[in-house]
Amino acid sequence: MKQHTTRMTLTIDNKTVTADTGASILDVARQNGIDIPTLCWHEQLSPHGGCRMCIVEVEGLSHFPTACTTPAADGMIVRTHTAQIREMRAEILQLFLSEHTASCLVCDEQEECREYMSTVRKAGVTTGCRYCPKDGQCELQAVTESLGVRDIIYPIYYRGIPVETEDPFYDRDYNLCILCGRCVRMCQEVRLADVLAYKHRGRDAIIGPAFARTHLEAGCEFCGACVSVCPTGTLREKARAWEGAPDREEITTCTFCGVGCQVRLLVKEDRIIGSLPADDPTVNQGQLCVKGRFCNTELVNGHQRIRHPYRRENDIAWDVSWDAAFELIAEKLRSSAPERTGMLVSSNLTNEDLYVAQKFMRVVMKTHHIDSTARLFYGSGFSAYLTLMDRAVPLSAIRDASAVLMVGLDTRFSRSVVGVAIRTAMKRGIRMFTLHSREHTFSLNADVWLQPEVGEEYRYVEALVRLAAGEDVTDRSIPADMRVRLADVARALSESDSPVILVGAEFLQYDSSRAFLAAVAQLADHVGAGVLTLPAQNNLYGSLLSGSFPELLPGMRPTADAARLQKLESLWGTSLTGLTDAWNADHLLRDDCAMQFLYAVGALPPVHRGAAKFTVFQNMYPPEPYCSADLVLPTAAATETDGSFLNGERRVQRVRRAVAPPGIALPDWDILCRLARHMGAEGFAFTRPEEIREEMAQVIPGFGEAEIDARGILPLAFDAVMHVSGNGTAQRPPDSDHPFILHSSVVEHTHRGFPLAAWVEGSRILFPEGVLDISAEDARALGLRDGDSVHVSGASFEEIYPVRIVRQQPRGALHASILESALTHPNPQPVSVRKADV
Amino acid sequence: MFSEEELKQVEELKSHYPTNLSAVMGVLHMYQDKYGHISDEGITYVANLLEVPEENVLGVVTFYEMYHQHKTGKYKLQVCTNVSCMLRGSDMVLQTIKDKIGIGIGEMTDDGLFSVHEAECLGSCGTAPMMSVNKDYHENLTPETINELIDALKAKG
């Protein structure tokens, strides 16, 4: 659409300038290099006119308007730096400072302070000053300096508000707050989350959620957008508060889910000190979720990171050199039969890591035995999920959609940029429906919330399919009011020009997931909807494409594809006939799985069962003490290697090395290449990820840069059949011995097999692993308090969990978040619960 | 918490404005008229009724002096203490009330008949000092007129 704009001419500080109509005086001034101080203005937010720093003189006006809120007009004569205006700004600034505890801004000892900085005693102790974590990066400080304010004529009013530290990831010291309202506008206008608002007024005015709620209780997503725009030290990241300004930034791809947000890593002295959203127009549009914003830094900086290879035997561990480690692996591999050898990889690895890993197994070990832990995550619905994933529409489809149906998607702590896109679309007037058995971010503000009983989700989707096909719903197990809602949703989706179905990761582990996913595909066909699955694994597509499954060769072709095998044979210079493909990750969950050699690359092998005779554990963090790992190899984190990912839209995304790995850790591809060379194998002479990509482009249609379409999305088609375990057993109803229904979800907040809760402090509060959610009523009836241990037992299942009392949990239903390797029981299943003996 | 009739009134109020957020103040007045003050539950109720965030409703309630978050007396003595009234003797007004019924700003008599509130400018500077009792203005106050007024209200009960 062509927009009609006209130019206008005005005079600012005696300079004649031209601008498009609609621009504010501030916009025009800044476009022309005229600096006007601001505090409440921010490029991502609407103009507020609150701080009064940008007041200017406009000829013909008796008052001094704020430049940010006043539209420029043709013929206007503006003066921005007259003596009078400078004086007024200084006066207003002093009012700010009289309520701001940072006396260092105008402190007489400023010079002296700098002198003492090199002494043994901290400068702050010597000069007796208070110090602020934002020192040197504070916008109030910058404005104070630019206006030359050195004294405050007003008495200092210290509000004495206790610093709020009870929430994870960031603290709040409202004594430093200047009420610019950037955080409120960010929360309300951009994130559309409505957690923050102004409360009270005058000198009692304060920012926060309603009542005495913590941010956690108020539904905060902990996206940190408010922290990023705070001009002072009020909102401060716990992990980064005292780090100061970064030396440089590096743009890379976040590794926590299939959305693939672009992040700006802040680097100081070869260490990651923070991660902020990159202004990426296609995927995250300058937004992040709590994981991308806060978990990155802590995850890669943990002091428990592995630095050296080490050997473990009989509970004794000792460091070994890389050469000794390779020799040991070579020796073990030489004595292991290919059919008893396997490699377990994580779909968090880069395409290059995964490609080298599968090549290693196929060329060196002569077996197709490589599998991703993603198979365990999706269980019996794996194949159905991949088929659905293959229909992926781009994320931009949400912005163009006229109706959206979310199934099993909660965007609070994960994929929250998608939540923002949906709320933005809702503001535009689209209809939004959500299907989810538990209360979640959208349960209250969706147009319709379809709330099935746990495990009954597929019945609802099947009902939608029938309704969309013009049939009636005959399923009487669905309550009447829900049938009305279903009819409404089916009608709206059918009538919509461009509906989109978004598939989250909830209830994918239920035994009914295959039926559920098949019904989603049918529904999409009936209503002509685009489907976007948002996998929990950031590089699930990459692991398919690189052939990291026993059924798949690089390029997502089945292992039996003779033409592809031939092509690979000539490229790799080796024979690929007669390779075994009888094993996959599901076998590790069986007690009779007797492997001679298991190589876990960025994955946690299941504990207690499926133990291999010899296990190599290659990861960022050491294995749990009870995990049988005989040799532990240190790998580089995603921030320490170059490579690429494929997100859920099939978009090729770059991963960039920002810092060096700790100790003598190496990237996964490098370790595997060195090992292969150590074993005398040909075709592993890669020294850079680019070289791996060049080889991949030869076997993977579409992977060459030239073939990626203008949107950056790979033209791919998945048509292989994956082996799946389980057959979707019917759910057993509760009985008198087992009065509760336990549904288990595999925790999706993981990285390289570890739950984030293991290494990132704040995530223990937001998304704990291995806890049992119970309703307040049930907890009361059983005499349970938060954190108590309970003994849960089913027909062939026994486990002890700590409980978490959750208001939203339906009565009689329990929910456990567990690791994928712990999911070996029927799900959902009837269980009994009793308080565990201490 | 609102009756059918009151809900109709809310709908009518909403129809005056482009967004529900604009109707918050009017609905809060209705709520306060009915219950005397606006409790936390009241804030949640109004927010849900108008489908706006609780945070925004709380912001309005805590910003304006005329919304009360705590129980108030049957007669709300809202004494203006802004510049004009201050210069013309609002301190005297408060002191007279304190001498007469023993309560100051933010307090309520034990019988629940009176409560005293500090009000921002009520737009009656020409007749300062003044106060409003519930919705009625009492202007050009002197110790005598204040005592008479309180006696009259007490007699009314």
Side-chain angles (χ1 to χ4, degrees):
Chain A
M1 193 171 65
K2 202 176 166 199
Q3 223 168 0
H4 181 74
T5 51
T6 49
R7 300 285 288 175
M8 55 188 171
T9 305
L10 56 156
T11 310
I12 303 181
D13 292 347
N14 300 322
K15 197 167 147 187
T16 307
V17 296
T18 59
D20 286 334
T21 48
S24 70
I25 296 177
L26 183 68
D27 294 336
V28 182
R30 289 202 170 156
Q31 282 158 18
N32 289 283
I34 298 164
D35 186 44
I36 300 176
T38 52
L39 283 171
C40 69
W41 182 88
H42 191 275
E43 58 187 354
Q44 280 179 285
L45 308 170
S46 67
H48 180 54
C51 72
R52 319 307 289 180
M53 282 297 111
C54 69
I55 48 168
V56 290
E57 191 182 296
V58 176
E59 220 167 86
L61 288 184
S62 58
H63 67 294
F64 298 93
T66 43
C68 68
T69 54
T70 310
D74 204 35
M76 217 177 218
I77 300 169
V78 182
R79 278 178 283 274
T80 69
H81 282 86
T82 64
Q84 191 185 15
I85 285 174
R86 288 184 63 88
E87 199 182 313
M88 284 165 70
R89 283 185 190 143
E91 192 78 19
I92 297 164
L93 186 67
Q94 286 182 52
L95 287 168
F96 274 119
L97 296 177
S98 72
E99 268 197 11
H100 186 91
T101 53
S103 40
C104 65
L105 300 188
V106 289
C107 179
D108 290 341
E109 320 258 317
Q110 239 180 15
E111 301 301 317
E112 216 183 324
C113 180
R114 280 181 193 136
E115 255 171 60
Y116 284 124
M117 274 176 182
S118 56
T119 61
V120 180
R121 259 164 83 89
K122 281 183 183 158
V125 177
T126 311
T127 58
C129 77
R130 308 176 68 86
Y131 214 65
C132 168
K134 211 57 181 288
D135 185 45
Q137 302 171 83
C138 171
E139 292 180 42
L140 184 64
Q141 192 175 30
V143 170
T144 307
E145 271 167 31
S146 79
L147 294 182
V149 172
R150 303 282 309 184
D151 306 295
I152 304 173
I153 57 163
Y154 300 107
I156 302 290
Y157 170 63
Y158 179 62
R159 300 177 67 186
I161 303 164
V163 180
E164 298 174 9
T165 59
E166 67 278 17
D167 284 308
F169 295 117
Y170 61 91
D171 294 334
R172 303 174 294 273
D173 180 358
Y174 286 110
N175 297 302
L176 298 173
C177 178
I178 56 168
L179 294 166
C180 67
R182 283 190 194 178
C183 53
V184 176
R185 278 176 287 150
M186 181 50 91
C187 196
Q188 295 192 350
E189 290 175 6
V190 179
R191 299 289 303 195
L192 303 165
D194 293 322
V195 171
L196 298 178
Y198 298 95
K199 299 188 286 189
H200 304 280
R201 65 175 173 154
R203 64 182 203 179
D204 296 324
I206 193 165
I207 309 283
F211 315 122
R213 286 176 191 157
T214 63
H215 283 44
L216 188 62
E217 291 160 345
C220 174
E221 294 179 346
F222 293 91
C223 68
C226 54
V227 182
S228 301
V229 294
C230 180
T232 67
T234 308
L235 304 179
R236 53 179 74 161
E237 198 173 327
K238 283 185 206 271
R240 192 181 129 207
W242 302 96
E243 295 283 7
D247 301 335
R248 59 190 167 88
E249 293 184 356
E250 195 75 60
I251 292 186
T252 190
T253 305
C254 179
T255 55
F256 293 124
C257 79
V259 174
C261 293
Q262 299 299 296
V263 296
R264 267 160 56 208
L265 295 173
L266 310 182
V267 186
K268 185 171 190 170
E269 290 158 8
D270 207 35
R271 204 163 57 82
I272 307 284
I273 60 164
S275 81
L276 297 175
D279 192 16
D280 169 79
T282 50
V283 179
N284 50 313
Q285 303 191 302
Q287 296 302 316
L288 281 180
C289 74
V290 60
K291 295 191 279 183
R293 177 68 170 79
F294 294 118
C295 296
N296 256 328
T297 324
E298 268 183 81
L299 185 73
V300 300
N301 286 326
H303 69 271
Q304 304 97 327
R305 284 281 302 271
I306 320 170
R307 287 155 192 280
H308 282 82
Y310 66 91
R311 176 86 168 91
R312 267 188 10 169
E313 204 172 355
N314 301 329
D315 291 338
I316 302 168
W318 66 96
D319 281 359
V320 294
S321 68
W322 277 116
D323 277 340
F326 292 148
E327 187 45 43
L328 181 65
I329 298 174
E331 184 197 313
K332 295 289 174 187
L333 281 174
R334 274 193 289 267
S335 61
S336 305
E339 64 273 14
R340 309 272 300 277
T341 303
M343 181 183 273
L344 190 63
V345 295
S346 151
S347 292
N348 294 137
L349 305 179
T350 63
N351 295 325
E352 292 77 4
D353 293 333
L354 292 162
Y355 178 81
V356 169
Q358 61 82 33
K359 187 176 176 184
F360 178 85
M361 289 311 278
R362 291 185 166 118
V363 173
V364 183
M365 293 316 301
K366 297 288 174 201
T367 170
H368 291 303
H369 290 178
I370 177 166
D371 204 4
S372 164
T373 48
R375 182 189 302 276
L376 303 177
F377 183 90
Y378 295 98
S380 63
F382 187 45
S383 211
Y385 187 83
L386 297 182
T387 313
L388 201 57
M389 182 167 94
D390 201 45
R391 309 165 74 121
V393 292
L395 281 160
S396 58
I398 302 172
R399 300 193 277 275
D400 305 327
S402 45
V404 171
L405 171 65
M406 288 171 38
V407 290
L409 179 60
D410 187 351
T411 60
R412 185 168 179 196
F413 297 134
S414 194
R415 313 172 182 85
S416 76
V417 299
V418 174
V420 175
I422 293 171
R423 286 194 290 259
T424 309
M426 284 171 76
K427 220 176 165 189
R428 206 183 66 223
I430 68 152
R431 298 207 70 198
M432 213 289 281
F433 315 108
T434 180
L435 190 156
H436 203 298
S437 41
R438 308 213 295 164
E439 202 173 293
H440 60 286
T441 321
F442 280 95
S443 47
L444 296 179
N445 46 13
D447 289 314
V448 177
W449 175 19
L450 300 168
Q451 192 189 13
E453 296 276 320
V454 175
E456 300 283 305
E457 295 82 7
Y458 70 100
R459 288 184 194 279
Y460 278 55
V461 188
E462 284 173 354
L464 285 174
V465 173
R466 275 196 297 277
L467 286 161
E471 295 166 31
D472 279 339
V473 186
T474 47
D475 194 340
R476 293 293 135 186
S477 64
I478 300 174
D481 63 322
M482 282 294 164
R483 289 207 297 272
V484 174
R485 292 188 193 186
L486 282 164
D488 181 22
V489 173
R491 196 177 322 111
L493 289 176
S494 301
E495 286 169 4
S496 163
D497 301 333
S498 50
V500 171
I501 303 176
L502 297 169
V503 185
E506 290 276 337
F507 46 76
L508 287 180
Q509 288 87 29
Y510 300 165
D511 294 334
S512 54
S513 74
R514 197 190 305 174
F516 165 73
L517 292 162
V520 172
Q522 278 185 330
L523 177 64
D525 287 338
H526 273 295
V527 300
V531 179
L532 183 59
T533 54
L534 298 156
Q537 300 77 13
N538 63 308
N539 203 22
L540 183 55
Y541 240 118
S543 53
L544 293 167
L545 190 71
S546 59
S548 313
F549 292 90
E551 305 95 324
L552 291 180
L553 295 171
M556 295 204 295
R557 298 300 305 155
T559 317
D561 185 331
R564 176 52 54 95
L565 274 174
Q566 217 174 359
K567 194 170 175 188
L568 287 170
E569 281 178 339
S570 68
L571 179 74
W572 291 346
T574 185
S575 162
L576 295 171
T577 45
L579 265 55
T580 56
D581 63 354
W583 174 90
N584 66 41
D586 276 329
H587 295 225
L588 288 172
L589 302 181
R590 289 195 211 144
D591 292 325
D592 62 350
C593 171
M595 297 296 279
Q596 284 171 333
F597 184 93
L598 179 68
Y599 198 151
V601 182
L604 295 193
V607 289
H608 302 314
R609 44 175 96 74
K613 252 182 170 168
F614 191 84
T615 302
V616 178
F617 182 90
Q618 180 170 311
N619 215 321
M620 290 163 64
Y621 283 99
E624 305 282 2
Y626 47 77
C627 168
S628 61
D630 301 287
L631 180 67
V632 178
L633 304 179
T635 52
T639 51
E640 296 152 4
T641 182
D642 283 309
S644 63
F645 287 141
L646 266 173
N647 76 350
E649 308 167 278
R650 289 182 232 112
R651 190 183 295 280
V652 186
Q653 299 178 305
R654 285 297 305 274
V655 180
R656 292 184 184 83
R657 180 186 152 118
V659 295
I664 57 168
L666 294 168
D668 292 295
W669 63 267
D670 202 4
I671 297 173
L672 289 163
C673 285
R674 285 175 196 227
L675 173 62
R677 293 200 294 266
H678 187 95
M679 293 174 72
E682 301 275 325
F684 290 88
F686 305 116
T687 53
R688 289 176 308 128
E690 288 85 345
E691 295 166 6
I692 304 171
R693 270 203 297 284
E694 277 163 27
E695 182 174 315
M696 290 175 80
Q698 292 179 49
V699 278
I700 301 172
F703 201 71
E705 300 276 337
E707 289 160 86
I708 297 169
D709 75 12
R711 297 171 304 176
I713 290 175
L714 273 187
L716 291 174
F718 175 76
D719 61 353
V721 176
M722 309 296 275
H723 300 293
V724 292
S725 62
N727 51 5
T729 41
Q731 191 186 336
R732 292 224 330 252
D735 53 50
S736 54
D737 288 342
H738 303 104
F740 290 95
I741 281 285
L742 168 69
H743 52 289
S744 306
S745 299
V746 170
V747 53
E748 58 162 331
H749 310 282
T750 59
H751 188 66
R752 290 178 184 242
F754 288 106
L756 288 181
W759 306 114
V760 181
E761 201 182 319
S763 59
R764 266 163 236 166
I765 301 169
L766 300 188
F767 27 87
E769 180 265 329
V771 298
L772 186 77
D773 290 346
I774 189 167
S775 72
E777 295 90 343
D778 289 333
R780 207 174 306 125
L782 291 164
L784 295 172
R785 278 186 304 187
D786 237 2
D788 280 352
S789 285
V790 291
H791 192 103
V792 182
S793 53
S796 58
F797 168 82
E798 269 193 41
E799 195 66 65
I800 292 175
Y801 294 110
V803 294
R804 181 169 68 154
I805 298 168
V806 177
R807 192 170 48 89
Q808 303 97 304
Q809 190 65 24
R811 208 171 166 176
L814 307 170
H815 179 266
S817 317
I818 56 174
L819 286 183
E820 49 234 350
S821 55
L823 187 65
T824 53
H825 49 79
N827 184 22
Q829 63 168 334
V831 292
S832 65
V833 178
R834 64 180 166 80
K835 197 168 172 175
D837 310 318
V838 183
Chain B
M1 300 210 227
F2 280 157
S3 64
E4 280 300 294
E5 193 53 40
E6 286 161 334
L7 288 173
K8 262 186 219 151
Q9 228 175 307
V10 170
E11 285 309 310
E12 206 273 327
L13 259 172
K14 275 157 70 174
S15 70
H16 289 252
Y17 308 106
T19 66
N20 279 3
L21 208 52
S22 312
V24 165
M25 293 190 70
V27 178
L28 282 173
H29 275 305
M30 283 175 58
Y31 189 94
Q32 182 163 286
D33 289 346
K34 183 165 182 178
Y35 293 100
H37 69 287
I38 302 165
S39 58
D40 286 357
E41 294 78 54
I43 290 170
T44 306
Y45 177 74
V46 171
N48 291 341
L49 190 64
L50 294 175
E51 295 173 317
V52 297
E54 283 168 315
E55 276 68 22
N56 286 353
V57 178
L58 179 95
V60 172
V61 171
T62 55
F63 184 87
Y64 292 105
E65 291 285 339
M66 59 269 215
Y67 295 123
H68 303 288
Q69 283 187 279
H70 301 287
K71 224 168 171 291
T72 55
K74 184 177 177 190
Y75 300 109
K76 286 184 279 193
L77 310 182
Q78 296 165 106
V79 182
C80 173
T81 55
N82 266 195
V83 181
S84 309
C85 286
M86 182 194 77
L87 293 173
R88 301 268 295 167
S90 59
D91 286 352
M92 171 279 290
V93 178
L94 286 167
Q95 191 57 50
T96 311
I97 295 171
K98 177 115 196 170
D99 293 344
K100 180 80 179 165
I101 51 175
I103 55 170
I105 292 166
E107 294 174 331
M108 183 167 71
T109 52
D110 292 338
D111 59 6
L113 204 55
F114 296 103
S115 56
V116 178
H117 309 270
E118 190 175 24
E120 298 301 337
C121 184
L122 292 166
S124 194
C125 305
T127 55
M130 63 81 67
M131 69 171 158
S132 81
V133 177
N134 297 348
K135 286 180 178 172
D136 299 326
Y137 276 20
H138 298 270
E139 300 160 315
N140 296 316
L141 295 170
T142 63
E144 294 73 37
T145 57
I146 293 167
N147 281 322
E148 276 167 30
L149 173 67
I150 291 176
D151 284 335
L153 290 173
K154 265 187 181 166
K156 228 165 108 186

